Amino acid sequence: MSNLHDPFDNVLNQLQEIKTLAELKEGVLAVLSAPKRFIEVNLPVRMDDGQVKVFKGYRSQFNDARGPFKGGVRFHPNVDESEVKALSAWMTWKTAVVGVPLGGSKGGIIVDTKQLSIGELERLSRAYIRALWEVVGPELDVPAPDVYTTGQIMAWMLDEYEVLARRHRPGMITGKPVAVGGSKGRVQATAVGGLQVLMAAAKHLNLPEKASVAIQGFGNVGGTLAGLAYAAGFKVVALADSKSTIYNSEGLDVVAVENYKKQNGTLFGFPGSKNINDILTLEVDILVPAALENSIIVDNVRDVKARLIVEMANGPITPEADKILAEKNIIVVPDILANAGGVAVSYLEQVQNAANYYWSEIEVLQKLEVMMAEALTAVWELSNDKKITLRQAALLLAVRRVAEAMKSRGWV
Ligand code: GLU
C-alpha cells in the first residue's frame, strides 16, 4: 500500500494545499520540502543462533529551527525511507502545533520484532544507538517510542548512549521507564490527549452522550484510548488489532477485551463479539484510526459513515481521501493535533530530566491538559476564521511557527 500512496508525497501535497494561505515564499517551501539530514545505517546484529544479520535503519532529522529534533523510532517490516521522512515532517508540525520548543525527526528499523528474541531485540536497539549516538542527544535529536518500540527499548538505548558518552544524559531519549528518569504519565499521554480532543470535538458536534466509537489499532495508543473512552462512558462497538476486528453493536466491555488480549495474544474470538472484516466503514459516530498511515484511501473513503474521525495514527488518511471526507462533511481532527499528547509529555520528561526534579502523575497530566487545550483552541479558531478544515488550520499554524523560527535565525 505504501508504494501506491507514498507517505512523503502526501507531506508535499499537504504543504502545497496551504502554500497560498500561509503565504509561503519559495525558499521556505524548499526548506520544508526535504529533511535537513537523512541518515541510513546498516546494523549487524549477532542472532541467537550465532549468525550475524544486518538490519537497515534510518533517522530523518527534518527541521530543528524551533529546537532539537524530536521524534520516535519505529520497528516495523514496512519501514522505508519515504515513511520515515514523512513521519519526521509530521513531527515537525506536531511539536509546533502543541507549542513545545522542539523540532521534528523520526527513525525506523526494518524489522518484525515478533521474530526476535528479547536478547536480539536488545542488541538491535543498542546497535541503532551505537550507529547514531553522535547525532542524537538532549540538545541534538531526542528519540522516543513509536510503533513496536517500548519503554524497555528506550532504556537500552539510553544505557548504550550513556556508556558511549561516559556520562548520564537522561534527556537524550523520552518514553523511558520511570526507574531511569522517565516521566509519570508518559505511557498513557498520547491516549489521554486524544480523549481530550475527541470529547471536545464530540461536544462541538453535539454527538450523543453515549456516542459509538470504533478504534483501529490496539497498541499503546489505540488500546489505551479504548480503555479511557470506555471508562468515560462511550459505547466502544468495534476494536481492531493488526490481525482481526471484533464488533458488538451493544458495545464491548473493553476491560474484558484487554484481559482477553493479554491471555490470548489476539482479539479474535472475544466472547460475545462478531469478527468482521472492515472497521473503517462501520455505522458509528466516531472513528479512530490508531494504527498506521494510509488506512483511509480513495478506495474506501466513500463508504466511511462516521461523523467524526480522530486521527491517533500518524498519516492515516491520504490527501485525496481527506478532500472527499471534507465534501461529505465528516470532521477530521488531524494527527498533528490529536496525537500530540505523547510528544507534549516527552517534552515535560525532558524538562524534568534537565531540572533533575520529578512531578507527580497528576501534575504531569494537568500540564498536558493545558497544552492540549491551548493547541485545540488555536486550531479550532483558525479553522473558523479562515473557513478551512482542522487539518489545514493545524498545518497552517505549524508552518507559520516553523517559518517564523527559520526567519528569525536568518535561514530564509
Ligand atoms: N512516536 C510518537 C509520535 O509519533 C511520540 C514522539 C515523541 O514523543 O517524541 O508522536
Side-chain angles (χ1 to χ4, degrees), residues 1 5 10 216 280-281 287-289 292-304 306 309-311 315-322 324-325 330 332:
M1 227 190 270
H5 304 99
N10 293 350
Q216 180 194 42
L280 301 168
T281 54
L287 178 63
V288 182
L292 296 168
E293 56 272 20
N294 298 333
S295 275
I296 301 177
I297 56 178
V298 209
D299 304 0
N300 61 11
V301 65
R302 286 185 181 81
D303 298 320
V304 172
I309 300 179
V310 181
E311 287 188 322
I317 303 176
T318 61
E320 303 97 301
D322 206 37
I324 299 170
L325 291 171
I330 297 175
V332 177

Side-chain angles (χ1 to χ4, degrees), residues 70-72 91 94 106 144-146 174 186 314 339 342-343 346:
K70 182 81 190 83
M91 280 311 301
K94 197 185 300 188
K106 200 79 169 204
D146 195 74
T174 61
R186 175 63 185 86
N314 292 310
N339 73 31
V343 76
S346 279

Side-chain angles (χ1 to χ4, degrees), residues 66-250:
R66 302 182 72 259
F69 299 108
K70 182 81 190 83
V73 185
R74 175 173 296 197
F75 285 5
H76 195 278
N78 295 345
V79 161
D80 65 23
E81 258 189 67
S82 167
E83 181 187 62
V84 176
K85 281 184 192 168
L87 291 164
S88 70
W90 290 325
M91 280 311 301
T92 306
W93 317 144
K94 197 185 300 188
T95 52
V97 167
V98 80
V100 293
L102 294 165
S105 56
K106 200 79 169 204
I109 299 180
I110 306 172
V111 61
D112 179 357
T113 54
K114 289 172 187 160
Q115 308 293 323
L116 298 187
S117 72
I118 188 89
E120 291 166 345
L121 188 62
E122 174 175 353
R123 293 193 289 282
L124 177 63
S125 306
R126 289 184 182 275
Y128 184 74
I129 290 301
R130 232 168 18 252
L132 290 168
W133 77 281
E134 282 156 314
V135 293
V136 298
E139 310 92 359
L140 277 173
D141 182 6
V142 185
D146 195 74
V147 175
Y148 290 120
T149 48
T150 59
Q152 174 61 76
I153 291 174
M154 299 306 109
W156 290 324
M157 289 182 169
L158 171 71
D159 188 67
E160 189 67 24
Y161 181 83
E162 291 186 338
V163 166
L164 292 163
R166 303 192 63 79
R167 68 205 65 222
H168 282 283
R169 283 276 175 82
M172 66 76 52
I173 203 160
T174 61
K176 311 177 279 293
V178 170
V180 289
S183 176
K184 293 191 175 127
R186 175 63 185 86
V187 175
Q188 69 269 41
T190 314
V192 170
L195 182 71
Q196 184 181 337
V197 164
L198 180 151
M199 287 173 80
K203 194 165 159 210
H204 189 86
L205 294 179
N206 269 327
L207 295 185
E209 278 265 306
K210 270 186 91 51
S212 56
V213 184
I215 303 175
Q216 180 194 42
F218 205 68
N220 180 45
V221 177
T224 312
L225 182 64
L228 294 175
Y230 177 69
F234 287 93
K235 189 160 85 172
V236 181
V237 294
L239 292 168
D241 63 13
S242 61
K243 293 199 183 65
S244 35
T245 302
I246 55 172
Y247 175 74
N248 183 334
S249 59
E250 298 304 308

